[in-house]
Each structure stands twice: as C-alpha cells, then as structure tokens.
Amino acid sequence: MAAELTIGEFSRISRLSVKTLRHYHEWGVLEPAAVDPHSGYRYYATEQVPTAQTIRRFRDLEMPIEQVKAVLAAPDPASREAFIAAHLERMEQQLARTQEAVASLRGLLEGRGLTPQITYVEIPPQTALAITATIDRDGIEDWWRGAFAELYAAKATVAGPPSGFYAHELFEDEAGEATVYLPVDPLTEDPRATILPSRRLATLRHDGPHTDLDLAYGALGTHVAERGVGAPGPVHERYVVSVLDDAAPADWVTEIGWPIAGDP
Amino acid sequence: MAAELTIGEFSRISRLSVKTLRHYHEWGVLEPAAVDPHSGYRYYATEQVPTAQTIRRFRDLEMPIEQVKAVLAAPDPASREAFIAAHLERMEQQLARTQEAVASLRGLLEGRGLTPQITYVEIPPQTALAITATIDRDGIEDWWRGAFAELYAAKATVAGPPSGFYAHELFEDEAGEATVYLPVDPLTEDPRATILPSRRLATLRHDGPHTDLDLAYGALGTHVAERGVGAPGPVHERYVVSVLDDAAPADWVTEIGWPIAGDP
DNA sequence: TTGCTCCTCACGTCACGTGAGGTGGC
DNA sequence: TTGCTCCTCACGTCACGTGAGGTGGC
C-alpha cells in the first residue's frame, strides 16, 4: 500500500521544504526510499512520514542534525530516551541561564551599582592538590566539575576553599591554561601535592550566579587599570560557596583576585 | 581618571574576546574610544565597560546584533524598555513553542496514534471577504493575524468560521500564495466580497496547537496519496476555534482539507 | 633588540535558503 | 510537444572563531 512519492509530494505531506529534504538526504538523516540512478530523482514512501515528523520535532528543539541522526539510529527505546533526556536537560540549563541573564540585564539597566569592596591581599605559599589543563572556554564547566570531583576523591585533609586560576588567554582567545586546586594540610602524603607560590592580589567578593561574574571582573579590572597597579599573571577565583556545596546559584559566593604589583 | 586600554586589556576587563571586540567595532556596536590612525591599534576607555557588559547580556538573550545596536542607540529609557519587553515576549513565545514540541515529541515516540477520521466533502460556492498575498513561511503568522483583524473590522454579517487556503509552494519553497477569508451573508454590500468557487476536499479535524498541524497533514496526505485521489490546488484550513477566539492553543480546533478529484 | 601584542585578510561553522542554469517525466 | 518538476552546483546567512602572515610598541 506504500505509495512512491516524488520529493514535491513528500514535501507537501511532511511539511518539510524540498530544500530541507535534499539537505537531509545529503546528510544521511532521511534517505529517500529510492533514487533513480539515471535522473537522480528521489522517491519517498508514505511510511517515511512519521520519521520526517520526528526529525522536525527534534530540530524544533534545536538538536543538531548529527545528533538527530544518532537518536534515529539508536536501536532500543531506552537509549533513545537517554538521548532525549540529555537534550532536555541541556535545554533546561539554557532556560535557567536565560532567566539569569534577564534578571542581570534589568539590574544593569536600572543602574544597580555595587560599590565594590576591593581588598589587597598577599597569599602565602600554599600546599595544594592541583589539576592543570589547556581548555576551551565552552568546555570549561565540564572540565571544572570533573577536576574538582577528582580532587575531592583524594583522601587529604582539606585546608581551605576550592580555588583556581585562569590565564588571560582563556578569555582573550577563547582557549588557555586553567588550574583548579584544593588547599591541603602541608603534611599530606599524596604524591600529587604541590606548593603554589605566593601571590599579591586585588580581591573582590561576588555574591550570586556566575553569569554575573563579569560584573565583578569589570569592577575589579577597572579599579586596577585606573590605578595602574596591574601585574601579569592569571586571575584567581575562590569558590567559598558554589555548586560543589550543592548550593543554589543565587547563594554562591565567589572571591575573585587580580594580580597586582607595587604597593597600593 | 579614564585609563586608555589596549584591546587585550579591555578584553580581560570586559570578558569579551578580542575577536568579538573587533567584530563589534566592525559592526559599529561598540566603537573604541580611539583608534591610532597609523597602526590601527584600538584603544578603549574604562567607561565603556558597562556598555560591553550590557551588550554581552543582550547577546546572551540571543538578540541580533543589529537590534542590540538599535537598543543602545535608543535615546530614552522608555523606548529601551519597549525594545527589551518586545524581545522578552518573543523569547516567551519561543519557550511555549519548545514546550509544545517536547510534548508533541513524547506523543510521537510513544506512538500515540490517532486513527484519522477523514471525510470527503464538497464545499459549494461561497460569498466571502478575502485577502490574498504572496508571503514567506516565517512571516505567515503576523500576516495571518493582521489579515483577519482587517476582515473582522468590516461590518458584514459573518456566515461561517474564518478560513484560508495555502498554495503548496508555501511549504515546498518557503514562499507562496495564501488567502484568508471570512464567509459572509451573500447579500452583503461590502465591495470587497467575492464568490469563492466550489471545491472537493478530503478533510480532517485537528485538536490542539498548530505545532502539531503537520501530524494532521501527514495523516491526510498519506491517505490521499495511497488512494491516488489527490488533485492540484491549495490546501484548506477552517479555524473552528483559534487565537481569534482568545482560546488557549490546547483548545484550538482546526479543520484541514486536501483537494481531491474523482469519486471516493 | 627581542618578544609580545596588535593588525588585516581569508576562510570555516551550521542548517539550511536563494538563485542560476540545465534536464527529465508525463 | 509544452510546461512543470526535478536535478546539481555555487553562494549567502549570522556572529563570530581559526589560522596565516605581517607590523607596531615598549
């Protein structure tokens, strides 16, 4: 009972444009039931309509084509479900970020100016378990979580909040070196323990989600630049309260530090 | 007190990448405070940091650059607010569509199969107020609302639900001819009244949001194709319950019609 | 002076849409 | 046979990112 349909007919029934159907053929997401080897004409079967509708919905959800292909190729319903669940979770995260951005934008436009409480500190040499990597800016969150999971898995006596430092290139060029560390008891026997050198920093405490961290960096960087006290080197972050404590973003407390030289 | 910053320094403070800053200069969204005419070096002022942060937030909300430029150029806070409100509304609409797509996808994957109740009808010639235009598929919704607003503003006696017909090219090529109409009393004196010719259609009733209209078209088109009774001509839609009645999408009722030839 | 920073092209990305120019099918 | 449908390039979109190759500034 399967009717062979030309691309135009299948387009009308599936509501995917002819261009889109050709594109899906090229990418192997939706192959025509038959292709005339002489004319190149594509022929579709009515049985392919539900597949087309499914693809359309995944694309409405902005799932990348390659992934749609993978989901459709998934043999069992369970792994399909896993794909979809993962995608929905990403979408929820994005929604949360959007809501944060809206709130933050309102604050900015209302000129909700924080008077930054900037403190100069000298951090003494510290014994710490550290992980360093060269990463991409968009891969940073996954890497960050993984690295701290690894550090907390070590059985050393923790001697301070989780922290990290990040090369400027990471923000200027979208990729650069990052280090996260956990201060530990100097007497630890973990062979991975290193001693971090001392640093002089201008620091600022930031309350709230990390979407707004740029505001803190703006205030701190402006302060340092206008006084001409900046020094080369990575910026520092101390995660006083964070996801690592299972806290909500609104409750996070982060201390950021900008390297300085000279006497303030 | 305004420090002159190189692009790299400004990038560190604003957390926008150097490439992005150059891009924003090129597009005129964020012009450097000064550009060295000899070397081409860009110099920024610390006063530009809040602007950079604002741009970043608008971009996080996926506002197109051109529009960000327009918002920033808006002279008074009121028109700024209007821009933002309009953008937020679009985002909410998209969120609603996303939620519909998720629900619809789950239904599809669970194989929630509707047994389509297809009816063959012959619509007699009708007197109607009609508006025809050649439109883009993504401009269709705005046009549709505007056209019906215009039709309802006429003071003729309405004799049936609002309806429309749509050339296949609109779906195959993303652009084509569309007509919406309001059946009216044949004795109307409105000079714009026309008589629509009779049509033979296979029809199917669809309940719910228009995101799912493609499912109905899939069922109807498959039915027509498998029986080989299709005829050329546009598809028809009757909006029995719709936005025009201030109903929620879940309560909408739409009848779709596919042109047929021959005796079923 | 050296090495770092900055510069301008030119091209890639992603999922198609937009023509141009040409051929096949009924 | 005519006109409609289908075909394959090649290029455009949007907001940047990715090099390449070269110059300026301290």
Side-chain angles (χ1 to χ4, degrees), chain B residues 9 14 37 39 58 61 63 71 84 90 106 110 137 151 153-154 182 217 223 242 257:
Chain B
E9 290 164 342
S14 67
S39 66
F58 279 124
L61 297 174
M63 184 182 276
V71 177
I84 297 163
R90 269 199 301 279
R106 293 232 177 266
E110 282 163 17
R137 201 168 173 179
L151 291 177
L182 211 51
Y217 274 108
H223 175 100
S242 73

Side-chain angles (χ1 to χ4, degrees), chain B residues 39-112:
Chain B
S39 66
Y41 274 36
R42 296 167 176 86
Y43 295 100
Y44 294 82
T46 47
E47 281 78 9
Q48 296 184 282
V49 172
T51 309
Q53 292 168 342
T54 306
I55 294 173
R56 189 161 128 85
R57 273 159 184 70
F58 279 124
R59 288 295 305 129
D60 280 353
L61 297 174
E62 291 175 80
M63 184 182 276
I65 280 206
E66 280 299 341
Q67 205 175 329
V68 173
K69 201 175 154 181
V71 177
L72 292 178
D76 55 308
S79 57
R80 269 193 188 204
E81 256 312 309
F83 262 113
I84 297 163
H87 188 71
L88 288 183
E89 199 188 332
R90 269 199 301 279
M91 286 190 13
E92 273 167 31
Q93 282 175 8
Q94 199 188 328
L95 176 62
R97 273 200 303 276
T98 297
Q99 286 167 338
E100 282 172 11
V102 169
S104 168
L105 179 62
R106 293 232 177 266
L108 250 183
L109 292 174
E110 282 163 17
R112 194 188 299 156

Side-chain angles (χ1 to χ4, degrees), chain A residues 12 57 104 172 214 226, chain B residues 12 46 57 104 172 214:
Chain A
R12 294 201 257 286
R57 272 159 187 71
S104 167
E172 284 178 50
D214 64 331
E226 288 180 347
Chain B
R12 295 201 256 286
T46 47
R57 273 159 184 70
S104 168
E172 284 179 51
D214 64 332

Side-chain angles (χ1 to χ4, degrees), chain A residues 12 15 18 46 53 56-57 81 84 88 91 98 104 106 109 137 168 171-172 212 214 226, chain B residues 12 15 18 46 53 56-57 84 88 91 98 104 106 109 137 168 171-172 212 214 226:
Chain A
R12 294 201 257 286
R15 306 247 126 173
V18 168
T46 47
Q53 291 168 341
R56 190 161 129 84
R57 272 159 187 71
E81 256 312 309
I84 297 164
L88 288 183
M91 285 188 16
T98 297
S104 167
R106 295 232 176 266
L109 292 174
R137 199 168 175 179
H168 284 314
F171 306 101
E172 284 178 50
D212 279 354
D214 64 331
E226 288 180 347
Chain B
R12 295 201 256 286
R15 307 246 125 173
V18 168
T46 47
Q53 292 168 342
R56 189 161 128 85
R57 273 159 184 70
I84 297 163
L88 288 183
M91 286 190 13
T98 297
S104 168
R106 293 232 177 266
L109 292 174
R137 201 168 173 179
H168 283 313
F171 306 100
E172 284 179 51
D212 278 352
D214 64 332
E226 287 181 346

